Amino acid sequence: MYPMQWNILRFDEVDSTNQVALNYPIYTAITADHQTAGRGRLNRVWESVKGNLYLSMVLPEIGDKTPMLAFVVGVAVAGALKEFNVRLKWPNDVLEGGKKIAGILLERADDKVIVGIGVNITSAPSGNLMYPVGDLAGKTTVAQVTQRILDEMEKGLAEFETNGFESVRRKWLSVSYFHEGDKMRVRLPHETFEGTFGGIDENGILLLKQEGGKVIRVSAGDVFKI
Ligand code: BT5
């Protein structure tokens, strides 16, 4: 399946690059200067002013391995932003200095997976957000980070295909915001759990260790340091 090359399409304004990407074949990359309806997970809003990076890539869906692509993408974004020493917070946040500077959104559609990435290059939203937020103002450009992400994705997908998820998992853990034993809170739609970070398993499931040795396995949720 890989190596491959991106067909890059640039737009000024879109509702959401993830939405636009639905209309294009695999290995298309959509970028936009801004979005009028940028989205996060669970119908959340992704603030999408001009000056930041909005990118979506169309990939083939790969059955039950599809969720692992989120980790391939995380590692690629961390690689693209290596000099800023970013950290990945399960499942899909990219932090710099403890602040969220980028988010990743995977959406499945038929035989495709749309991988969306938003990076705050020049500004971060203000207001009451779920986590502290930041940006990379004055440190880099949209064009540079876009190109690096696309390059890192090509490398990362090839490596995932050749070496499997274990090598992706190891790389992901090497830039994880949480370290084994760190205290964390996991918020699910109807429940909240506390415990310590126990890593991610061979499928990318979060392991939350509780007192007494119980391990809770979490496939989707929001996590916070406590
Ligand atoms: C995400 O969702 O972090 C995934 C964001 C993906 C955005 C990209 S942009 C290109 C592509 N096209 C799209 O329409 N989407 C993708 P989630 O983990 O649900 O986090 C959303 C939460 O982050 C919001 O509820 C806010 O609290 C916060 N937030 C919103 N805008 C933000 C921003 N620009 N920077 C940092 N945090 C933000």
Side-chain angles (χ1 to χ4, degrees):
M1 198 148 25
Y2 316 114
M4 31 64 69
Q5 274 214 317
W6 299 109
N7 179 27
I8 305 171
L9 299 177
R10 297 171 202 282
F11 294 84
D12 295 337
E13 177 187 294
V14 296
D15 49 359
S16 153
T17 54
N18 265 36
Q19 194 62 34
V20 172
L22 286 171
N23 304 319
Y24 289 91
I26 58 168
Y27 304 135
T28 308
I30 307 286
T31 67
D33 290 346
H34 74 117
Q35 305 185 112
T36 54
R39 59 193 185 223
R41 293 175 299 146
L42 308 169
N43 287 324
R44 292 174 189 148
V45 172
W46 185 256
E47 301 284 342
S48 302
V49 297
K50 260 201 168 91
N52 292 334
L53 180 158
Y54 310 103
L55 166 68
S56 294
M57 292 166 275
V58 188
L59 295 176
E61 103 105 42
I62 46 171
D64 57 5
K65 290 197 164 71
T66 297
M68 296 173 185
L69 288 173
F71 298 88
V72 176
V73 181
V75 169
V77 174
L81 300 174
K82 200 161 51 197
E83 72 230 63
F84 308 119
N85 221 356
V86 299
R87 291 284 171 262
L88 301 175
K89 183 161 84 53
W90 187 93
N92 66 352
D93 292 345
V94 183
L95 311 186
E96 192 234 10
K99 295 179 177 169
K100 179 164 172 172
I101 56 152
I104 297 165
L105 176 69
L106 248 74
E107 294 179 309
R108 287 187 191 217
D110 303 325
D111 52 350
K112 298 189 280 199
V113 188
I114 311 295
V115 172
I117 302 170
V119 186
N120 296 333
I121 302 286
T122 56
S123 69
S126 53
N128 196 9
L129 299 160
M130 284 170 68
Y131 311 103
V133 295
D135 58 58
L136 298 172
K139 298 180 181 165
T140 185
T141 63
V142 171
Q144 184 173 56
V145 176
T146 303
Q147 192 53 53
R148 285 191 188 168
I149 291 175
L150 293 172
D151 291 346
E152 291 288 330
M153 279 296 293
E154 282 182 30
K155 278 198 278 172
L157 288 167
E159 179 169 343
F160 177 40
E161 189 173 54
T162 310
N163 299 331
F165 184 62
E166 182 52 24
S167 99
V168 178
R169 192 182 80 96
R170 250 185 276 123
K171 282 199 172 156
W172 193 94
L173 284 171
S174 75
V175 285
S176 172
Y177 175 64
F178 283 105
H179 298 105
E180 195 102 6
D182 283 353
K183 284 191 180 165
M184 70 194 305
R185 175 178 300 131
V186 179
R187 202 168 71 196
L188 308 180
H190 303 290
E191 269 173 306
T192 300
F193 296 102
E194 288 184 2
T196 60
F197 182 67
I200 55 171
D201 78 0
E202 67 282 1
N203 294 307
I205 303 281
L206 171 71
L207 305 174
L208 179 73
K209 290 190 176 166
Q210 293 197 304
E211 275 175 33
K214 188 175 172 203
V215 178
I216 299 182
R217 302 163 60 81
V218 188
S219 58
D222 293 298
V223 306
F224 304 86
K225 208 166 214 168
I226 51 174

